[in-house]
Amino acid sequence: MGAYPPCIDVAELENSELGQSGGITQQVHTKLISRARPVIFTRTMNPDIRRERENATFNPEILTNILDGNVEKTRRRREIESLVISDPDFQHDDLNFMSRSERYDAALKKSTLMIQKLREYGIADPEEIFFYKSAARGNFHEVFALHHGMFIPTLHKLGTPEQQKEWLPLAVNYHAVGTYAQTELGHGTHIRKLETTATYDPSTQEFVLNCPTVSSIKWWPGGLGKTSNHAIVLAQLYTQGRCHGLHAFIAPIRCMKTHQPLPGVTVGDIGPKFGFDEIDNGYLKLDNVRIPRENMLMKYAKVEPDGTYLKPPSDKLTYGTMVFIRAIIVGESARALSKSCTIAIRYSAVRHQSELQPGEPEPQILDYQAQQYKLFPLLATAYAFTFVGQYMSNTYHRITGDIDQGDFSELPELHALAAGLKAFTTWTANSGIEVCRMACGGHGYSRCSSLPDIYVTFTPTCTYEGENTVMMLQTARYLVKSFRQAREGQRLSGIVSYLNEPQRLQPRPVSSRPTVVNINDLNSLVEAYKIRAAKLVEMAAKSLQGELQRSKSQEDAWNNSSIELIRASDAHCHYVVVKLFAAKLSEVSDTAVHTVLSSLALLYTLHGVAVNSGDFLQAGLLNVPQLAQITQRIKALLEEIRPNAVALVDAFDYRDKMLNSVLGRYDGNVYENMFEWAKRSPLNRTEVHESYYKYMKPLQSKL
């Protein structure tokens, strides 16, 4: 079954509202089938990529519906994307040929247009807003990203009803444009040591905000440099002579009429970065800036007019917005990796190189086993992370709903899961994007491939909203605590319930035949991942206990066990991913789609066993001969997936204007479009650059 029905005008399809999406709605599908006339290639599709789609064994449209949630969501997403793609207001010059100032200007223009048009179209559902913005942004980054993603959510999560009534209308109507100022020059992930202070003055009922040292200057918040006029400032709360730790404050930083910095506020842009060229990441220094008592967000923690402090029911509630962002980042990992796989696999289908047999035509590089081994496990990972991202979104909203009802029982698990999966998925996706770039050879290095932009945009996720190593250690703290509770007889629930089974933690001799793992059975492999995770959590807990028995402090013992602790968190997260991938298969009713997804799930799982074979051997879950069997099974899976590789990336349904990659074009016409792209370079506006006359010609005349 091909991606196109037979006897259609491919040119008309490509130029339709779904033209480069990789998917066809039933309406368009029926319309095209009804014509039943010979194919007319008025706009030629690369024959290699056309053949790939014709040879697919499943209908990518069905898989697209699964990824979106259902047929109606796919229809609505495409409808919204078409509003953007057909809108002339969103046409712009190539970002790669703009200066940084021009990029900021264009991004601010596009961000304001998005706001206006969303209201004009009446699009208010958060998911539909995401669809619209994803199509509108392209390779731009939204200037108001932290206003929408952190400033407003923090008002919702930490503001009292009175504060929400005052501030949300201002924020929603962009009179108060905000950012989230947490990270400082001297401290990032270790937020308990942030130095900015908020000292309560009961005589005026104000907080006095200060950045008392150079290292306490707020640094990195997006939108802070030039865009925002307010900031949620995380500061150490001092009242009645005592410090009560970090709390969130609403700080005006620019005049809402003139946009000039307010007295005591030093604010600006931190300069060029590895990526995000159009975003004004900024610095903020506060010198005796006074704000009303009511500007402390007091839904949970409170300071009374006389300075009396009332503590919150959980100290983790202050960090609720960060947990929200970490949950979102898991989904972003899936999107960044799926885009990269789409580009690399489509390009590999049209790129021919070298010879498999002397004298024969150059094969598609996608036919090389080494190329498949680079890309297909990453493709499987992109699908796995997509399903994990959906799970994290649902879990976050479920647990925060409970929190709003006063139930904080699952908050520690949510915090640990979001931290660990944020680290696990971003590390994997970050390295995977680079593998995709290198798999495209020299052309992957060109900005026209979009892979350099995807990489530089995504790589900071490994350090923002919590540096990944620290995130893994936070998850490990929860795992060790849970392990100890299980050993003390407490019954664990939730994702760590597997630690209730101490009898499964006993190692078996490596030489014996395992009784757990059948390498051809996904459920058996999920069980093996569970036991591996349990064993590594146990090893980390024992290492920590051993260090403590050697008369070390708790802090030294923790530091000296950090390798084991990180391994335990990694194994725990890996188990969660394979468990969720396997569970997703039970929801797929279409036989052909189920078959190809099962191959991907098995490849993801076996590839993880191969990469971490030492853990499985050490736990007695595998023996040495099985490692060779796993290699052979992986090779067989690469062959199984090969005919469907292009259809599998088509199912992600990225339109060309959203992917913005010459190498990843839906029609596969790479080379002619690379040539056209290169000719648009500003250096080509004149045949002879002015610098020739200034420097080169005088040099030639002197020599």
Side-chain angles (χ1 to χ4, degrees):
M1 181 187 299
Y4 287 145
C7 301
I8 66 170
D9 187 335
V10 174
E12 183 168 346
L13 172 63
E14 290 173 340
N15 289 315
S16 74
E17 68 170 27
L18 301 174
Q20 296 154 358
S21 69
I24 307 170
T25 64
Q26 188 61 43
Q27 181 182 9
V28 175
H29 186 278
T30 303
K31 178 182 176 184
L32 293 168
I33 285 288
S34 67
R35 295 177 181 174
R37 65 174 188 260
V39 177
I40 304 171
F41 290 104
T42 54
R43 178 183 173 199
T44 305
M45 177 175 285
N46 181 286
D48 288 317
I49 206 159
R50 176 164 52 86
R51 185 172 59 252
E52 294 289 334
R53 295 185 172 115
E54 291 170 349
N55 292 336
T57 64
F58 73 101
N59 184 352
E61 181 72 5
I62 296 173
L63 185 49
T64 299
N65 298 155
I66 292 170
L67 293 173
D68 283 330
N70 55 51
V71 174
E72 175 57 26
K73 285 188 176 181
T74 298
R75 185 202 66 77
R76 181 59 175 158
R77 173 179 56 77
R78 288 174 175 164
E79 182 180 52
I80 290 170
E81 289 171 355
S82 295
L83 287 175
V84 177
I85 291 171
S86 62
D87 191 336
D89 287 341
F90 287 122
Q91 307 305 312
H92 56 80
D93 294 333
D94 194 309
L95 283 176
N96 295 297
F97 304 139
M98 293 184 186
S99 69
R100 182 158 182 255
S101 180
E102 290 170 335
R103 287 177 70 138
Y104 173 73
D105 182 272
L108 186 55
K109 176 184 177 182
K110 179 173 280 193
S111 296
T112 56
L113 278 172
M114 283 195 292
I115 294 163
Q116 295 166 15
K117 289 175 182 288
L118 283 167
R119 295 192 177 184
E120 176 186 338
Y121 295 134
I123 298 174
D125 178 78
E127 189 173 46
E128 294 191 351
I129 291 173
F130 174 79
F131 295 155
Y132 190 90
K133 288 184 175 181
S134 295
R137 283 193 301 255
N139 274 11
F140 275 108
H141 301 289
E142 190 182 356
V143 173
F144 299 125
L146 264 72
H147 176 75
H148 297 135
M150 299 195 80
F151 185 74
I152 291 178
T154 303
L155 295 176
H156 276 291
K157 290 176 174 56
L158 299 182
T160 64
E162 294 77 17
Q163 289 173 321
Q164 292 180 18
K165 184 178 180 180
E166 177 183 356
W167 288 100
L168 285 175
L170 292 171
V172 169
N173 290 308
Y174 300 90
H175 297 298
V177 178
T179 186
Y180 190 85
Q182 175 176 293
T183 301
E184 298 172 356
L185 261 175
H187 288 93
T189 303
H190 188 45
I191 59 177
R192 285 178 296 178
K193 288 296 183 181
L194 294 178
E195 299 175 77
T196 299
T197 60
T199 305
Y200 185 64
D201 181 354
S203 67
T204 61
Q205 294 193 25
E206 293 175 316
F207 287 100
V208 184
L209 301 180
N210 273 293
C211 298
T213 63
V214 171
S215 57
S216 68
I217 296 171
K218 296 295 183 181
W219 200 269
W220 279 115
L224 175 61
K226 294 296 177 184
T227 307
S228 299
N229 56 27
H230 284 74
I232 300 289
V233 174
L234 271 288
Q236 303 286 356
L237 167 61
Y238 286 85
T239 182
Q240 296 180 340
R242 291 185 58 192
C243 178
H244 296 279
L246 285 178
H247 290 73
F249 301 85
I250 306 171
I253 56 175
R254 290 178 180 272
C255 175
M256 294 172 69
K257 292 182 178 179
T258 67
H259 209 60
Q260 291 291 330
L262 294 171
V265 173
T266 304
V267 63
D269 178 81
I270 65 171
K273 308 165 292 286
F274 193 32
F276 283 88
D277 286 336
E278 63 272 19
I279 297 301
D280 56 325
N281 296 83
Y283 58 78
L284 174 66
K285 190 175 188 303
L286 302 167
D287 294 303
N288 294 317
V289 173
R290 288 180 170 266
I291 60 173
R293 182 182 70 89
E294 292 77 13
N295 280 32
M296 173 183 165
L297 292 172
M298 295 196 199
K299 183 175 183 178
Y300 300 111
K302 295 179 176 64
V303 173
E304 300 285 11
D306 66 356
T308 302
Y309 176 73
L310 304 177
K311 68 179 182 179
S314 170
D315 58 359
K316 290 184 172 61
L317 289 168
T318 303
Y319 316 134
T321 306
M322 286 192 301
V323 175
F324 170 65
I325 296 299
R326 288 168 189 165
I328 289 176
I329 288 173
V330 175
E332 289 300 318
S333 298
R335 282 181 281 275
L337 188 56
S338 61
K339 286 182 178 181
S340 301
C341 287
T342 299
I343 295 166
I345 287 174
R346 284 180 178 171
Y347 177 65
S348 296
V350 301
R351 177 74 171 183
H352 292 251
Q353 191 144 314
S354 302
E355 295 177 339
L356 281 174
Q357 297 293 333
E360 290 188 356
E362 292 181 300
Q364 297 162 277
I365 60 174
L366 198 56
D367 286 336
Y368 288 102
Q369 187 183 79
Q371 188 78 343
Q372 295 168 14
Y373 189 68
K374 291 176 187 176
L375 296 178
F376 293 176
L378 292 175
L379 175 61
T381 302
Y383 271 91
F385 287 0
T386 298
F387 301 138
V388 175
Q390 293 169 353
Y391 171 83
M392 278 303 299
S393 178
N394 294 334
T395 300
Y396 174 82
H397 287 105
R398 177 180 62 80
I399 295 178
T400 52
D402 293 340
I403 291 171
D404 289 340
Q405 299 300 316
D407 180 0
F408 304 100
S409 60
E410 292 189 78
L411 181 58
E413 179 174 324
L414 175 63
H415 184 269
L417 189 62
L421 285 175
K422 181 266 184 187
F424 183 84
T425 58
T426 56
W427 265 334
T428 303
N430 191 56
S431 61
I433 295 165
E434 179 66 355
V435 170
C436 288
R437 185 191 67 78
M438 291 189 289
C440 292
H443 291 331
Y445 190 65
S446 171
R447 295 282 287 271
C448 79
S449 74
S450 197
L451 289 165
D453 287 321
I454 294 173
Y455 183 81
V456 299
T457 296
F458 186 78
T459 194
T461 62
C462 295
T463 48
Y464 70 53
E465 300 310 318
E467 192 275 330
N468 278 357
T469 299
V470 177
M471 293 297 93
M472 282 297 198
L473 289 170
Q474 286 186 12
T475 301
R477 195 176 297 277
Y478 177 74
L479 293 173
V480 169
K481 180 180 179 180
S482 298
F483 174 81
R484 289 172 175 168
Q485 289 172 338
R487 284 300 174 91
E488 292 167 0
Q490 296 186 42
R491 195 71 183 167
L492 303 176
S493 60
I495 205 72
V496 293
S497 59
Y498 65 90
L499 296 175
N500 288 322
E501 308 172 38
Q503 72 278 4
R504 309 303 297 270
L505 308 184
Q506 301 305 316
R508 289 177 292 278
V510 173
S511 60
S512 68
R513 179 165 293 278
T515 58
V516 174
V517 180
N518 175 354
I519 65 171
N520 294 302
D521 180 71
L522 187 58
N523 291 328
S524 178
L525 286 161
V526 172
E527 182 74 8
Y529 271 86
K530 181 174 78 172
I531 297 172
R532 171 202 176 214
K535 184 61 185 174
L536 288 176
V537 171
E538 180 187 44
M539 290 172 62
K542 287 183 175 179
S543 172
L544 189 59
Q545 187 62 35
E547 291 290 340
L548 286 171
Q549 290 172 353
R550 286 189 280 274
S551 301
K552 295 182 182 293
S553 68
Q554 181 72 37
E555 293 75 18
D556 286 342
W558 187 262
N559 181 50
N560 290 335
S561 300
S562 57
I563 294 173
E564 291 91 343
L565 291 163
I566 292 169
R567 285 181 64 202
S569 289
D570 182 84
H572 170 74
C573 294
H574 211 161
Y575 162 61
V576 171
V577 175
V578 297
K579 176 183 171 70
L580 293 174
F581 201 167
K584 189 68 179 181
L585 296 178
S586 65
E587 303 174 19
V588 180
S589 58
D590 184 88
T591 302
V593 173
H594 188 279
T595 297
V596 72
L597 276 181
S598 296
S599 296
L600 284 177
L602 192 56
L603 176 61
Y604 176 78
T605 306
L606 285 176
H607 185 265
V609 173
V611 171
N612 300 282
S613 58
D615 291 345
F616 291 91
L617 287 169
Q618 189 175 14
L621 296 165
L622 292 174
N623 57 30
V624 174
Q626 281 184 304
L627 294 180
Q629 295 171 17
I630 288 172
T631 299
Q632 293 306 311
R633 188 71 182 95
I634 288 174
K635 289 182 178 181
L637 287 167
L638 297 179
E639 290 186 19
E640 288 178 26
I641 293 166
R642 169 65 185 87
N644 290 309
V646 169
L648 282 165
V649 297
D650 284 351
F652 290 127
D653 209 20
Y654 293 118
R655 304 194 190 200
D656 280 355
K657 288 186 179 179
M658 296 169 65
L659 203 58
N660 200 33
S661 170
V662 175
L663 299 193
R665 290 176 59 91
Y666 186 79
D667 64 13
N669 294 323
V670 171
Y671 301 130
E672 51 267 64
N673 284 286
M674 282 190 75
F675 185 41
E676 291 303 316
W677 181 86
K679 288 192 289 186
R680 295 201 300 272
S681 169
L683 284 176
N684 294 324
R685 288 174 184 164
T686 59
E687 290 296 334
V688 180
H689 195 268
E690 60 181 356
S691 60
Y692 168 79
Y693 301 105
K694 292 165 62 178
Y695 308 117
M696 191 171 171
K697 189 173 180 61
L699 174 66
Q700 292 171 334
S701 66
K702 294 178 181 178
L703 297 179

